[in-house]
RNA sequence: GCGCUGUUAGCUCAAUUGGAUAGAGCAUCUGACUUCGGAUCAGAAGGUUAGAGGUUCAAGUCCUCUACGGCGCACCA
């Protein structure tokens, strides 16, 4: 319990006793303006509104009857019914000493942990990953880590697009070319070209379209030769994905393609028909719900083929039935909102017991403000983006660190480039569309990963110079405003992580870490550590610097950004 | 047409979910150091939160309307 939480507990016990009908809060939040205090509550205003009482009177009672924890100043009443609180430097120092001993840095696990499936990334077989995949991959990865840190059991799933109609066109062109060997180095590029060829041919020639359909049907009914081709496509694609995920350091617990559910699809549709959830309309099988949309949700085409939604229903059921998920979180582009409303609505009618969430993010747009699409335009390949990130980082490193050469230069460039990319992608709120520019995604100045990493490096450098291996535990003494402000800020870490997890919005954590780094830089200017005026102060500042470093590393780690000891 | 979503400083974004005087970065200008790592810090300037009404002690945030973007609306995923 650190600072806010201590005060929260006191205030809650008072509000529970005096105003039980208002719920349990939380009531205490940090002051936006430090002149008012460190923390504030506007509880009296809410209580007055609900009970018809007088806000200032309630504020007075709260201030007088509910004393803050020891070491806090007397609460002050302000405005129409705010109560402001201020912790003394001693109380702050004690809080930091406790936080320093807490291996979780103030992150409190859920009281009721859940098994949560996070479904993210989901690239398509036989296609290169491109910028359109980056947000789902990074957001899903971070959410999985956030939810796990909050005490849940998390299952990360990559739901690969390995069974769509694109395989008919791909097989058509591939087989027409005599099923050539796919080279190790650029198998994906070859596959993309075959697909493009098959697509063009079948779009311009109805007979070819029929052939493509036949290829797909043959594959789906288990023709051995086509099955074998398809397996090669999958294997080669997996190699490509593995390399990207290795560089991004993203992992999955399960990689299950859509093909996994192929056999279950007829049963799903029959089930829904039998339960009168679905009906036949114009030869197709559909689910209706006018409150969602006039148009129905299609789960079987009139030619008998199944769709995206059918596969998703089967996958959803499997996650509940086989993985015992309480909650499934789908991380995709916002354009799929309607699809997921239909999916969740149908799943509930189907009596699938669970909580389903669509965590969506804005579309990545090209410079023309139109979505970057994979078929028209030129989507930037993820490999190229990662390489460019590394190159730009290397240029800056060569300026700042001319002593670096060889492998250590390569390694640092890779780390810094990808760190910047990851941070830039996660820093804006997730429901904004964003226009893709190299400059924005690969910035190294201002609110960026290098700024935060530099603060971390400074914390490590101080400890190194002091001859200390691991961050120490010393009593905390706070003299300067900069160190007190930093200390109070560090104690908000747990609250911010909880907020980011609950909201499924990691950008809160980005903002917090940026502020933390800024406060540390200010502390660094204002408070000499190694040359501190007294040994007690030196020890205190060493401890504070160590703890700041630990929290920066922990927070960046949640965002999937590794730290480095020097840069 | 219906639905979803957005519009905040020149640009890119925040704002603890209805709280007090809307904050950062970039760009511009001015300062600080013979550095516990300058990939830093301090300061200046920059705003009718798209517009108009409404709800209330309090609105960038909620409601209504308008304008302008983006997206989605049966056999693609």
């Amino acid at each position: 319990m650190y600072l806010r939480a201590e005060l929260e507990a006191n205030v809650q016990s008072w509000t529970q006793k005096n105003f039980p009908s208002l719920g349990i809060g939380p009531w205490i939040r940090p002051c936006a303006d430090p002149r008012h205090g460190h923390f504030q509550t506007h509880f009296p205003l809410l209580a007055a509104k609900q009970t018809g009482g007088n806000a200032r009177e309630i504020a007075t009672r709260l201030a007088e009857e509910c004393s803050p924890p020891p070491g806090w100043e007397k609460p002050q009443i302000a405005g129409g019914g705010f109560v402001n609180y201020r912790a003394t430097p001693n109380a702050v120092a004690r809080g930091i000493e406790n936080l320093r001993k807490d291996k979780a840095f103030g992150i409190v696990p859920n009281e009721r942990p859940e098994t949560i499936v996070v479904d993210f990334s989901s690239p398509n077989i036989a296609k290169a990953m491109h910028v359109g995949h980056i947000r789902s991959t990074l957001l899903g990865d971070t959410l999985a880590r956030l939810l796990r840190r909050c005490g849940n059991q998390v299952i990360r799933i990559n739901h690969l697009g390995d069974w769509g109609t694109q395989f008919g066109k791909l097989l058509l062109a591939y087989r027409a070319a005599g099923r050539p060997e796919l080279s190790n180095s650029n198998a994906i590029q070859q596959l993309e070209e075959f697909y493009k060829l098959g697509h063009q041919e079948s779009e311009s020639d109805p007979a070819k379209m029929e052939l493509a359909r036949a290829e797909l049907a043959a594959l789906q009914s288990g023709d051995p030769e086509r099955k074998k081709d398809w397996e090669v496509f999958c294997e080669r694609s997996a190699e490509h994905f593995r390399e990207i995920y290795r560089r991004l350091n993203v992992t999955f617990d399960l990689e299950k393609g859509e093909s996994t559910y192929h056999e279950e699809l007829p049963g799903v549709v029959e089930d829904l028909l039998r339960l009168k959830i679905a009906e036949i309309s114009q030869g197709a099988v559909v689910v209706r719900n006018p409150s969602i949309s006039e148009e129905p949700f299609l789960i079987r085409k009139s030619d008998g083929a199944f769709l995206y939604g059918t596969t998703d229903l089967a996958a959803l059921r499997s996650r509940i039935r086989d993985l015992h998920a309480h909650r499934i979180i789908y991380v995709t582009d916002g354009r799929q909102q309607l699809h997921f409303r239909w999916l969740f609505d149908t799943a509930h009618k189907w009596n699938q017991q669970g909580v389903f969430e669509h965590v969506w993010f804005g579309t990545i747009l090209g410079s023309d403000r139109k979505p970057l699409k994979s078929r028209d335009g030129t989507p930037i390949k993820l490999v190229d983006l990662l390489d460019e990130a590394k190159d730009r980082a290397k240029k800056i490193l060569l300026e700042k660190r001319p002593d670096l050469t060889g492998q250590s230069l390569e390694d640092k460039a890779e780390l810094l480039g990808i760190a910047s990319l990851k941070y830039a992608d996660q820093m804006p709120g997730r429901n904004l569309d964003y226009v893709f520019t190299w400059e924005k995604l690969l910035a190294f100045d201002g609110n960026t990963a290098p700024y935060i990493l530099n603060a971390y490096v400074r914390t490590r450098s101080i400890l190194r110079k002091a001859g200390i291996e691991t961050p120490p535990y010393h009593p905390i003494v706070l003299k300067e405003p900069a160190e007190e402000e930093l200390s109070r800020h560090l104690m908000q870490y747990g609250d911010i992580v909880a907020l980011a997890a609950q909201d499924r919005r990691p950008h809160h954590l980005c903002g917090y870490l940026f502020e933390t780094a800024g406060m540390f830089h200010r502390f660094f200017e204002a408070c000499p550590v190694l040359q501190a005026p007294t040994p007690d102060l030196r020890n205190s500042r060493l401890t504070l610097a160590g703890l700041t470093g630990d929290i920066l590393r922990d927070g960046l780690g949640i965002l999937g950004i590794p730290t480095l000891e020097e840069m």
Side-chain angles (χ1 to χ4, degrees):
Chain A
M1 299 249 288
Y2 314 102
L3 240 48
R4 195 202 66 80
E6 280 179 81
L7 180 59
E8 181 73 49
N10 278 25
V11 170
Q12 274 183 18
S13 68
W14 185 87
T15 60
Q16 290 274 44
K17 202 163 78 185
N18 294 280
F19 296 90
S21 63
L22 269 89
I24 57 160
W27 305 120
I28 299 294
R29 57 179 64 179
C31 280
D33 187 337
R35 276 171 299 183
H36 293 128
H38 299 149
F39 297 95
Q40 59 115 320
T41 183
H42 57 267
F43 176 84
L45 288 157
L46 300 174
K49 173 160 257 177
Q50 198 179 87
T51 62
N54 177 295
R56 274 202 79 101
E57 267 169 34
I58 296 169
T60 308
R61 280 183 57 204
L62 173 59
E64 281 173 5
E65 293 171 18
C66 172
S67 52
W72 289 64
E73 293 177 11
K74 192 166 173 291
Q76 300 294 320
I77 300 158
F82 292 93
V83 183
N84 293 321
Y85 298 87
R86 201 176 278 277
T88 63
N90 273 341
V92 176
R94 254 201 351 267
I96 285 290
E97 286 161 9
N98 291 332
L99 181 64
R100 178 70 191 90
K101 292 179 199 136
D102 180 354
K103 286 200 167 68
F105 305 113
I107 300 174
V108 183
N110 284 358
E111 283 170 21
R112 311 185 64 186
E114 296 180 326
T115 297
I116 304 176
V117 162
V118 182
D119 176 324
F120 67 105
S121 198
S122 311
N124 289 322
I125 296 292
K127 284 186 186 165
M129 288 181 77
H130 55 85
V131 280
H133 293 108
I134 198 167
R135 299 199 87 178
S136 175
T137 305
L138 298 182
L139 177 57
D141 182 50
T142 295
L143 282 180
R145 219 175 282 108
L146 270 172
L147 294 166
R148 191 167 286 169
R149 279 299 293 275
C150 290
N152 300 288
Q153 192 192 334
V154 176
I155 304 170
R156 306 156 156 259
I157 297 187
N158 197 0
H159 186 70
L160 297 161
D162 66 354
W163 205 244
T165 50
Q166 71 268 29
F167 288 103
K169 293 169 179 175
L170 173 59
L171 276 170
L172 178 71
Y174 178 70
R175 296 174 62 81
R179 304 171 67 210
E181 187 91 4
L182 297 170
S183 83
N184 283 326
S185 53
N186 63 345
I188 292 293
Q189 202 179 324
Q190 286 177 276
L191 288 171
E192 284 189 332
E193 274 158 24
F194 283 127
Y195 171 78
K196 206 187 288 175
L197 187 63
H199 180 69
Q200 279 165 3
E201 286 183 345
S202 44
E203 289 300 312
S204 56
D205 181 352
K208 288 274 170 74
M209 182 66 97
E210 270 316 302
L211 287 174
R213 283 209 188 97
E215 289 290 343
L216 181 68
L219 170 66
Q220 298 194 337
S221 58
D223 173 77
E225 206 176 271
R226 290 170 176 85
K227 189 86 184 283
K228 201 173 164 224
D229 290 344
W230 173 80
E231 280 164 1
V232 171
F233 301 161
C234 290
E235 183 44 42
R236 287 306 156 83
S237 303
E239 287 163 13
H240 165 77
F241 300 153
R242 271 198 290 274
E243 175 59 10
I244 299 271
Y245 292 137
R246 183 192 65 74
R247 292 182 75 181
L248 292 174
N249 193 27
V250 169
T251 59
F252 296 93
D253 299 307
L254 280 174
E255 303 215 359
K256 285 180 89 168
E258 297 171 322
S259 61
T260 318
Y261 307 101
H262 177 57
E263 315 246 306
E264 293 185 43
L265 301 186
V268 169
V269 174
E270 278 161 31
D271 219 26
L272 291 171
L273 279 171
R274 187 173 50 80
L275 294 165
K276 310 262 188 242
I277 297 163
E279 61 191 79
I280 293 175
S281 166
Q282 300 175 24
V285 180
V286 303
V287 178
R288 290 192 186 278
N289 182 345
S291 74
I292 294 181
S293 156
E294 293 297 315
E295 307 298 338
F297 182 48
L298 213 64
I299 57 172
R300 193 176 74 196
K301 305 197 315 193
S302 49
D303 67 2
F306 302 102
L307 292 122
Y308 185 34
T310 331
T311 309
D312 273 352
L313 282 166
L316 181 148
R317 179 176 66 177
S318 155
R319 290 160 185 184
I320 290 169
R321 183 187 59 196
D322 308 328
L323 304 175
H324 310 292
H326 301 118
R327 185 182 295 270
I328 307 176
I329 296 179
Y330 297 84
V331 185
T332 82
D333 188 288
R335 285 176 289 181
Q336 295 186 41
Q337 284 175 92
L338 186 59
H339 169 76
F340 283 104
R341 278 190 71 188
W342 273 116
L343 179 67
F344 300 162
D345 182 66
T346 307
H348 283 130
K349 285 182 185 156
W350 197 20
N351 203 25
Q352 299 298 325
Q353 301 291 323
V355 182
F356 314 125
E357 288 180 42
H358 181 213
V359 171
W360 61 271
F361 50 86
T363 308
I364 301 192
L365 308 173
S367 49
D368 55 355
R369 289 204 62 85
K370 297 236 165 105
L372 281 168
K373 278 184 182 165
S374 47
R375 285 181 196 167
D376 26 325
T378 51
I380 290 132
K381 294 202 174 17
L382 214 36
V383 193
D384 295 335
L385 183 58
L386 298 184
D387 289 344
E388 180 75 19
K390 181 182 177 182
D391 282 349
R392 291 190 184 213
K394 196 198 274 189
K395 266 183 207 139
I396 291 171
L397 274 168
L398 285 170
E399 277 173 35
K400 312 230 177 206
R401 289 289 307 272
D403 58 310
L404 284 177
T405 52
Q407 197 56 43
S408 71
L409 174 65
E410 297 297 315
D411 291 348
K412 276 195 171 50
E414 173 86 2
L415 187 146
L416 283 169
I418 291 180
S420 303
L421 175 64
K422 284 188 165 190
Y423 187 83
D425 183 71
Q426 299 186 84
M427 197 257 299
R430 63 173 160 79
N431 45 4
L432 255 69
D433 288 351
Y434 75 55
V435 177
F436 175 90
T437 63
W438 294 101
E439 288 65 33
K440 208 194 308 179
L441 222 48
L442 300 178
F444 296 101
D445 295 325
N447 187 355
T448 62
Y451 178 85
I452 300 169
L453 286 169
N454 185 38
Y456 175 75
V457 163
R458 282 178 145 185
T459 69
R460 304 303 295 175
S461 171
I462 289 176
L463 296 189
R464 226 176 12 249
K465 285 244 161 70
I468 297 171
E469 292 278 327
T470 51
Y473 297 78
H474 291 299
I476 298 296
V477 187
L478 300 172
K479 284 269 184 279
E480 297 293 326
E483 54 194 334
E484 200 191 322
E485 192 190 10
L486 174 63
S487 297
R488 281 200 314 271
H489 187 72
L490 291 177
M491 283 183 272
Q492 291 179 29
Y493 181 62
D495 283 342
I496 293 291
V497 169
L499 176 69
Q502 269 166 29
D503 257 10
R504 284 86 163 105
R505 289 180 203 278
H507 83 288
H508 287 129
L509 183 55
C510 292
Y512 173 83
L513 293 174
F514 178 62
E515 283 171 17
T516 308
M519 285 182 191
F520 181 76
H521 284 310
R522 261 165 265 151
F523 161 84
F524 185 90
E525 302 279 334
C527 306
V529 178
L530 300 177
Q531 305 298 326
T534 69
D536 283 352
L537 207 48
R538 184 178 192 268
N539 282 336
S540 166
R541 287 175 179 173
L542 281 169
T543 305
L544 194 54
L547 177 60
T548 306
D550 282 350
I551 287 179
L552 287 174
R553 186 178 52 207
D554 195 68
L556 288 169
I558 289 175
L559 296 171
I561 298 171
T563 50
L564 65 185
E565 295 301 296
E566 39 132 26
M567 62 192 270

